[in-house]
Amino acid sequence: DAKTTQPTSMDCAEGRAANLPCNHSTISGNEYVYWYRQIHSQGPQYIIHGLKNNETNEMASLIITEDRKSSTLILPHATLRDTAVYYCIVRVAGNSDYKLSFGAGTTVTVRA
Amino acid sequence: GAGVSQTPSNKVTEKGKYVELRCDPISGHTALYWYRQSLGQGPEFLIYFQGTGAADDSGLPNDRFFAVRPEGSVSTLKIQRTERGDSAVYLCASSPGTENTEAFFGQGTRLTVV
């Protein structure tokens, strides 16, 4: 799987949008971008994933650049409960490879 | 329960002892994964089951580590002759096993080898 690069940490204000960047410049055409987060002392939680189109669900939006070399996870109205480590993961599509290659992620702290 | 259940939540063992960590996946999920997470790092893949068989065990660090899933549901991760370096949180996840679905993680078992 392609490697990803994320900032080590970022702060954001409660109630504001949080924009989390991720670079994946070596991504292949059959690789998806997945985002997971891990709140302290819990297991990772799936947020969203996409191939090339922008995606939105009840938790977040995923914006993927046209060349697919980078993406941004957007938490539209950050709350204190969104404080967590956020992982951007690139993974090959299909049944043959399900393992997730977590990096160090971005530690996001939402401040009141 | 509706989620992935791992027991025990905490385990303290002496160096050299044998331990078993249990994972109850979400009912009906055919895929099951084990990960290990050391302090300050992201989870690292250990092994992946599709049904009863280990489809990929490339992440197991050495032959002291072994995992089974005899009936395609509950899985047990077994560690022989534990070492202090085995101390970590062991995470289990399951998924429906179809293409591009999300993985659901348990809360993990914190293993401390003293």
Side-chain angles (χ1 to χ4, degrees):
Chain A
D1 289 347
K3 289 185 177 179
T4 62
T5 305
Q6 300 177 251
T8 303
S9 63
M10 62 185 294
D11 286 3
C12 53
E14 187 180 22
R16 305 295 291 270
N19 298 310
L20 283 60
C22 179
N23 288 324
H24 30 78
S25 58
T26 60
I27 192 170
S28 300
N30 65 342
E31 290 178 319
Y32 282 70
V33 179
Y34 278 74
W35 283 84
Y36 279 76
R37 74 179 183 183
Q38 188 171 24
I39 295 169
H40 183 61
S41 296
Q42 296 184 21
Q45 175 192 24
Y46 167 84
I47 301 173
I48 198 167
H49 75 280
L51 183 62
K52 51 185 176 181
N53 297 323
N54 297 338
E55 302 288 344
T56 295
N57 62 21
E58 65 278 4
M59 289 183 69
S61 295
L62 174 60
I63 308 298
I64 303 174
T65 57
E66 193 168 340
D67 63 7
R68 303 212 318 124
K69 293 185 177 183
S70 66
S71 60
T72 301
L73 179 74
I74 301 173
L75 307 177
H77 305 286
T79 71
L80 299 179
R81 286 174 293 183
D82 292 323
T83 292
V85 179
Y86 286 76
Y87 298 99
C88 171
I89 300 164
V90 171
R91 202 187 90 183
V92 175
N95 291 326
S96 62
D97 180 1
Y98 273 87
K99 58 188 175 187
L100 299 167
S101 297
F102 292 86
T106 297
T107 299
V108 174
T109 303
V110 180
R111 301 192 185 278
Chain B
V4 176
S5 175
Q6 291 187 246
T7 54
S9 55
N10 282 282
K11 175 72 176 178
V12 180
T13 191
E14 292 181 347
K15 178 175 177 295
K17 298 290 188 183
Y18 167 83
V19 296
E20 290 189 350
L21 311 179
R22 177 187 168 104
C23 173
D24 281 86
I26 292 173
S27 177
H29 280 191
T30 59
L32 184 146
Y33 323 79
W34 285 97
Y35 289 80
R36 178 169 71 172
Q37 186 170 25
S38 300
L39 193 63
Q41 299 182 18
E44 294 177 309
F45 170 79
L46 295 177
I47 187 169
Y48 155 54
F49 287 89
Q50 183 60 256
T52 60
D56 182 352
D57 64 358
S58 62
L60 294 177
N62 51 59
D63 61 6
R64 294 187 298 105
F65 289 74
F66 190 72
V68 296
R69 195 187 184 198
E71 298 179 357
S73 178
V74 171
S75 177
T76 305
L77 178 66
K78 307 180 181 192
I79 310 174
Q80 298 177 321
R81 305 183 303 281
T82 53
E83 300 177 356
R84 292 197 178 87
D86 298 336
S87 297
V89 175
Y90 289 82
L91 294 160
C92 176
S94 70
S95 73
T98 52
E99 189 166 323
N100 300 323
T101 51
E102 64 186 274
F104 295 83
F105 283 80
Q107 300 279 68
T109 293
R110 181 176 297 279
L111 176 66
T112 304
V113 182
V114 298

